[in-house]
Amino acid sequence: MQFRDTVQAMRLLAQLDADAAHAYALASERLGHIGIENLQDPLEQFRREHERHYVGLSNWLDAQKIEPPRFVPNLQGRLASGFQGLRTCGEAQSALKILHSIERTLATLYEETTIRADLPKDLYSMLVSYYAENERHLAFLENELLRELAPA
């Protein structure tokens, strides 16, 4: 992977982690409005982790003298439909499905990026740890979706 491609991939991941952090904040707010507070703690933890991913990637970009994306949601980007869905969802299952889709998108991009063997070792280690956290988020959301679908 050429340096320019690496920078482009890190900028994209940083933006998507910023988007994910904002999506989790929005989902937590929506779930509170529809009376499902029991998911708020894990969603807040995931939001903080995505924010930390954004900061780590931004710091790496800064060290390369590259301006990172701003920590604002890209409402025209890959996750735009997820933001719209979260704004209007009225049930936990819909919100969880949207968050799951966001995590799956991120996990796929982290996986695609980390399989490149020519990344600097420190960057590679950081990406692998972020990927593992995204996989943990995915597993949690999948478990919650199964629980939502289970007969009462």
Side-chain angles (χ1 to χ4, degrees):
M1 177 184 276
Q2 294 182 354
F3 179 73
R4 182 179 60 227
D5 296 331
T6 300
V7 166
Q8 185 177 5
M10 296 313 106
R11 285 185 54 80
L12 175 60
L13 287 169
Q15 181 62 64
L16 290 175
D17 270 311
D19 291 347
H22 289 290
Y24 272 101
L26 183 57
S28 184
E29 177 184 314
R30 291 297 304 147
L31 290 172
H33 287 345
I34 58 177
I36 303 175
E37 289 82 17
N38 63 319
L39 295 177
Q40 299 230 337
D41 286 344
L43 297 186
E44 175 59 19
Q45 177 186 350
F46 298 165
R47 184 200 63 75
R48 285 191 313 266
E49 288 174 355
H50 283 294
E51 191 171 306
R52 185 174 43 75
H53 297 178
Y54 167 83
V55 169
L57 292 164
S58 293
N59 288 343
W60 184 87
L61 288 163
D62 280 338
Q64 310 309 308
K65 310 288 190 247
I66 306 293
E67 186 174 344
R70 293 180 39 223
F71 189 75
V72 295
N74 180 0
L75 300 178
Q76 305 301 315
R78 290 184 186 210
L79 306 183
S81 63
F83 283 109
Q84 183 58 32
L86 285 170
R87 283 194 183 101
T88 59
C89 74
E91 58 183 37
Q93 186 177 2
S94 296
L96 292 172
K97 283 181 180 179
I98 292 167
L99 292 173
H100 183 267
S101 176
I102 289 169
E103 288 291 356
R104 194 173 52 241
T105 298
L106 264 165
T108 298
L109 289 170
Y110 270 106
E111 183 178 31
E112 289 172 357
T113 303
T114 55
I115 61 172
R116 297 182 171 105
D118 56 347
L119 292 171
K121 189 174 185 169
D122 62 332
L123 180 59
Y124 176 82
S125 296
M126 182 172 62
L127 294 177
V128 167
S129 72
Y130 294 172
Y131 173 68
E133 288 180 351
N134 283 357
E135 287 291 306
R136 184 173 44 78
H137 300 173
L138 268 172
F140 174 85
L141 293 168
E142 288 167 1
N143 187 44
E144 288 301 316
L145 282 167
L146 288 173
R147 189 182 328 200
E148 286 287 319
L149 294 173

